[in-house]
Amino acid sequence: MLTLTDLTTTGGDGNGKTVDGHRLILDCVARIAEESGLKAYLVGGPVRDRLLGVVAADLDITVVGDAMMVAERLAAEIQGRLTVHQRFGTATVVAGSLAIDLVTARREAYPSPGALPIVEPGGIADDLARRDFTINAMAMPLPAVSDQLVDPHDGSADLTAGLIRVLHDGSFRDDPTRILRAVRYAARFGFAIERETADLMGNALSARTLSALSGDRLRHELERTFHERDPVAPLQLADNHEILSAIHPALTARHLPAATREPVAPLAWLAALVWPLDAEEGEALSARLNAPSDWARVIADTARIRRSSPALGDASKPSEVCSLLDGMAPAALRGALIMGRGPAQERISSYLSHWWSVAPRLRGHDLLALGVPAGPEMGATLRELRRARLDGETHSVQDEQELARQWVQAPDKTAN
Ligand code: CTP
């Protein structure tokens, strides 16, 4: 059975410096709260992670009382940067690479499924009762001097058993993002979704609960999935539970490889996920996710790249590859590489590692000096010089000067 012994002195991953840093900050929060007659707790993810022996990336603190005041004093004492989110009654203090989130303990009421909750101040029990899963609904009173753990929902037992369990039947209806969060945590920790919770999730999906969710909130959860160490696992789990098809009927994870060789940027995972979608489906997905321009571009370019795949595979010259891929979002290109190593992928790989950056050796002013007029002709000549260099027809500045001179004398030879 896991206990809280030495929670603040060992992190279990050998990262002693981080743990010491966390401990200093927690001690500081405890002192500030005590001096103000308030009670402060470490809550949620960091408690879960410490019980698992993992050092949490961030610290989440709940204050029974005025968290803003504690945040202001903490920022001043540790010389951190304070950001106050008035609307949510939360504050973040950033010190170096560590973010400390402080929130006033609160109870929540959900006016309608998928909507943001109405909040009012509450006690620590209220604050834990509003949370998503039992393993995220534990608190550690500060200062952490003993094995005290506030665990009214038996989160530590579920942590030991490896179970993701909601706190009440209405949880997914209150907050449909929890549907995606459940598979994310299950995949990250190798846990099972407890049977009743899985049933509730299935019911919520059948009731089309996800459609009540705004595009922004849905996209934000997907983004968090792409930031996981191994996004394929939660995406496949989401597919198995028919969560992806509830977002868009064409969305699946079946085409994703079991493992990738190297770390991949989050937006490349988006590209990998939308690989099977055609342009129209991609547009519908972008609309559903209220996609900002970078997401929309990756989704649209992925459809273009997939459509170009046969031509890419057949391309025999680097310049042909460039004319198919120039202007595509790099994340879309990287996403295509996640899909394995066919002839198209080989060309994309060469493009990303080299061809995209190939430019003519001569610049505009060199061409002006050779008699190429400014304007469209200049553009066409530069493009043609790039093409010649890409395809190995020129090897030096002299070769390019020679070509440019020929074209000046016989301009119709400058193709396109
Ligand atoms: N939470 C919740 N329901 C949500 C989002 C968050 O109940 N839809 C609660 C959980 O208790 C969670 C805490 O708020 O632990 C903080 O949320 P977040 O930062 O998303 O979770 P972490 O547990 O810190 O997750 P991660 O390890 O992915 O950062």
Side-chain angles (χ1 to χ4, degrees):
M1 176 71 185
L2 297 156
T3 77
L4 262 182
T5 308
D6 292 331
L7 205 54
T8 51
T9 52
T10 58
D13 73 342
N15 195 345
K17 214 168 153 200
T18 313
V19 174
D20 286 348
H22 286 191
R23 182 179 190 155
L24 284 174
I25 286 165
L26 295 180
D27 286 349
C28 190
V29 170
R31 184 168 42 71
I32 294 168
E34 222 156 36
E35 283 169 11
S36 321
L38 302 176
K39 198 80 206 110
Y41 300 82
L42 185 70
V43 288
V47 176
R48 174 203 71 214
D49 286 347
R50 281 162 179 252
L51 289 171
L52 287 170
V54 180
V55 175
D58 298 324
L59 295 177
D60 292 328
I61 310 275
T62 290
V63 179
V64 182
D66 187 359
M68 296 305 120
M69 186 272 292
V70 176
E72 272 165 31
R73 282 194 53 192
L74 177 69
E77 288 205 22
I78 64 172
Q79 290 171 345
R81 210 175 58 244
L82 174 71
T83 313
V84 174
H85 316 282
Q86 282 299 355
R87 185 166 166 229
F88 298 104
T90 64
T92 305
V93 178
V94 175
S97 59
L98 180 67
I100 306 126
D101 287 324
L102 295 103
V103 51
T104 297
R106 61 200 193 178
R107 62 172 69 94
E108 290 183 347
Y110 289 85
S112 63
L116 290 174
I118 295 167
V119 302
E120 55 188 48
I124 189 67
D126 296 317
D127 199 81
L128 295 178
R130 72 182 173 83
R131 289 172 187 266
D132 50 4
F133 307 112
T134 61
I135 61 165
N136 286 341
M138 294 181 276
M140 184 183 102
L142 298 176
V145 285
S146 65
D147 281 4
Q148 278 177 293
L149 183 67
V150 183
D151 184 14
H153 307 282
D154 284 335
S156 57
D158 282 339
L159 211 50
T160 308
L163 290 175
I164 305 296
R165 186 197 306 267
V166 287
L167 307 194
H168 59 89
D169 290 1
S171 187
F172 291 118
R173 190 192 54 224
D174 283 351
D175 179 356
T177 64
R178 291 172 178 167
I179 294 173
L180 275 157
R181 291 174 68 87
V183 291
R184 188 155 58 80
Y185 288 121
R188 185 196 299 173
F189 299 125
F191 284 9
I193 297 175
E194 178 271 332
R195 186 177 307 176
E196 231 172 284
T197 297
D199 286 347
L200 291 167
M201 195 164 90
N203 295 343
L205 283 163
S206 306
R208 301 177 46 80
T209 308
L210 271 184
S211 49
L213 209 51
S214 73
D216 288 346
R217 294 188 72 202
L218 189 54
R219 189 182 71 249
H220 182 63
E221 278 314 314
L222 277 178
E223 188 172 17
R224 297 188 68 163
T225 305
F226 299 147
H227 274 97
E228 289 290 309
R229 197 191 303 256
D230 171 22
V232 175
L235 289 172
Q236 274 171 350
L237 206 49
D239 201 7
N240 296 345
H241 284 277
E242 296 178 13
I243 300 169
L244 295 183
S245 58
I247 296 172
H248 185 285
L251 221 48
T252 161
R254 283 190 295 275
H255 60 289
L256 295 175
T260 52
R261 273 158 285 204
E262 51 215 46
V264 178
L267 276 183
W269 281 116
L270 171 65
L273 178 65
V274 303
W275 182 253
L277 274 58
D278 64 25
E280 207 177 312
E281 291 162 340
E283 263 173 47
L285 181 67
S286 282
R288 172 64 186 102
L289 298 179
N290 191 26
S293 57
D294 55 345
W295 277 57
R297 188 173 160 223
V298 165
I299 293 171
D301 283 352
T302 299
R304 290 192 186 100
I305 294 166
R306 194 172 70 107
R307 211 175 44 218
S308 303
S309 284
L312 271 173
D314 289 342
S316 56
K317 293 180 179 175
S319 64
E320 291 168 35
V321 174
C322 288
S323 63
L324 289 165
L325 299 183
D326 280 343
M328 295 290 148
L333 295 166
R334 297 214 169 81
L337 293 184
I338 298 176
M339 240 59 62
R341 281 280 188 266
Q345 271 88 3
E346 250 160 52
R347 267 70 164 186
I348 293 172
S349 193
S350 301
Y351 178 82
L352 278 173
S353 61
H354 183 50
W355 295 337
W356 73 272
S357 66
V358 171
R361 298 169 182 88
L362 296 185
R363 302 294 177 82
H365 61 264
D366 302 316
L367 293 178
L368 280 174
L370 288 169
V372 179
E377 209 171 313
M378 172 75 71
T381 308
L382 284 166
R383 277 197 298 281
E384 190 55 18
L385 286 176
R386 176 177 186 242
R387 186 206 60 73
R389 182 174 186 177
L390 276 165
D391 294 344
E393 293 168 17
T394 60
H395 303 280
S396 65
V397 169
Q398 288 74 16
D399 288 352
E400 292 196 1
Q401 285 170 335
E402 183 54 35
L403 262 186
R405 271 194 212 99
Q406 285 174 19
W407 291 332
V408 169
Q409 280 153 23
D412 52 308
K413 283 203 185 144
T414 359
N416 55 61

